């Protein structure tokens, strides 16, 4: 099955996962800025379309671009992988996935989470400022939950918790003929 992975990456984590998926499956890979230049018929030859975006503030970046084509691509196999700074075993991840992909329009679209990290050096200035404001807010909060304590410690610096094993479920989905 011919597959394309379209991704949007701000600091490199989503691009890294897309590359790992391409290496394991032979899928085509395209940055979202290039995909936006293509007309809809460009994607006719692809049987599987995978979209990857980074997570911030409980939203997948540029997911609305992919979502606008769900009806046009209803006869294709579709998946989304979201790359975020939270550890994959965090309770907030399953809550995020349920909230983001729980709507009727997402039925039949596979969705995955891949833990990435933070890279302040490659982050846009507005997003760096938002992260600093979040850190300050968390630091000033009394009676933090354990999750808030962990988040406050994690977002204070750049880190990389990405790992190929988090790409494995997406790779298995791409390779699977009935998934």
């Amino acid at each position: 099955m011919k597959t394309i992975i379209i991704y949007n990456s701000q600091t490199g984590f989503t691009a890294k996962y897309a590359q790992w998926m391409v290496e394991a499956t032979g899928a085509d890979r395209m940055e979202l800025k290039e995909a936006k230049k293509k007309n809809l018929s460009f994607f006719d030859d692809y049987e599987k379309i995978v979209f990857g975006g980074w997570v911030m503030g409980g939203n997948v970046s540029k997911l609305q671009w992919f979502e606008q084509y769900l009806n046009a691509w209803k006869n294709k196999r579709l998946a989304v992988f979201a790359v975020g700074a939270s550890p994959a075993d965090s309770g907030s991840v399953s809550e995020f996935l349920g909230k983001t992909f729980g709507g009727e329009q997402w039925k039949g679209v596979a969705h995955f989470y891949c833990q990435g990290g933070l890279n302040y050096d490659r982050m846009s200035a507005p997003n760096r400022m938002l992260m600093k404001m979040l850190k300050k807010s968390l630091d000033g909060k009394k009676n933090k939950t354990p999750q808030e304590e962990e988040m406050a410690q994690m977002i204070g610096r750049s880190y990389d918790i990405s790992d190929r094993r988090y790409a494995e479920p997406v790779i298995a989905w791409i390779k699977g003929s009935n998934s």
Side-chain angles (χ1 to χ4, degrees):
M1 290 191 137
K2 194 167 177 189
T3 301
I4 187 167
I5 300 169
I6 303 164
Y7 68 97
N8 178 45
S9 187
Q10 177 182 220
T11 60
F13 296 105
T14 308
K16 183 190 309 187
Y17 276 104
Q19 183 59 38
W20 287 340
M21 292 170 198
V22 166
E23 290 169 1
T25 65
D28 292 338
R29 181 178 85 156
M30 181 178 289
E31 285 189 62
L32 178 59
K33 64 184 175 186
E34 291 303 314
K36 285 180 168 183
K37 296 176 186 175
K38 305 294 184 188
N39 61 35
L40 199 54
S41 65
F42 172 83
F43 300 99
D44 287 351
D45 291 339
Y46 291 100
E47 295 160 295
K48 290 186 178 184
I49 300 175
V50 179
F51 177 80
W54 50 277
V55 177
M56 184 169 179
N59 296 300
V60 180
S61 67
K62 310 299 183 188
L63 184 62
Q64 65 276 15
W65 176 86
F66 183 76
E67 188 175 14
Q68 74 181 333
Y69 295 116
L70 291 178
N71 284 333
W73 293 338
K74 64 184 172 197
N75 295 325
K76 298 182 180 296
R77 306 300 313 223
L78 304 174
V80 175
F81 68 95
V83 180
S86 296
D89 59 2
S90 167
S92 62
V93 169
S94 57
E95 183 181 321
F96 153 75
L97 290 173
K99 183 184 119 213
T100 304
F101 301 107
E104 191 65 31
Q105 74 274 25
W106 294 105
K107 285 205 185 311
V109 178
H111 54 273
F112 305 90
Y113 180 82
C114 303
Q115 64 183 36
L118 291 173
N119 184 334
Y120 284 102
D121 292 337
R122 296 188 68 194
M123 196 177 289
S124 70
N127 285 341
R128 243 188 340 266
M129 183 174 300
L130 284 171
M131 294 302 290
K132 285 182 182 183
M133 289 173 21
L134 175 60
K135 171 82 169 121
K136 188 174 182 176
S137 171
L138 285 170
D139 286 345
K141 185 175 181 182
K142 296 183 188 320
N143 302 318
K144 291 186 223 28
T145 66
Q147 294 86 357
E148 290 168 331
E149 282 286 349
E150 181 182 21
M151 183 185 291
Q153 289 177 0
M154 290 183 77
I155 66 173
R157 58 178 169 66
S158 293
Y159 61 92
D160 182 350
I161 55 174
S162 58
D163 190 306
R164 285 182 187 263
R165 68 186 161 133
Y166 297 106
E168 287 303 320
V170 187
I171 292 166
W173 181 89
I174 292 169
K175 288 181 173 181
S177 58
N178 296 322
S179 43

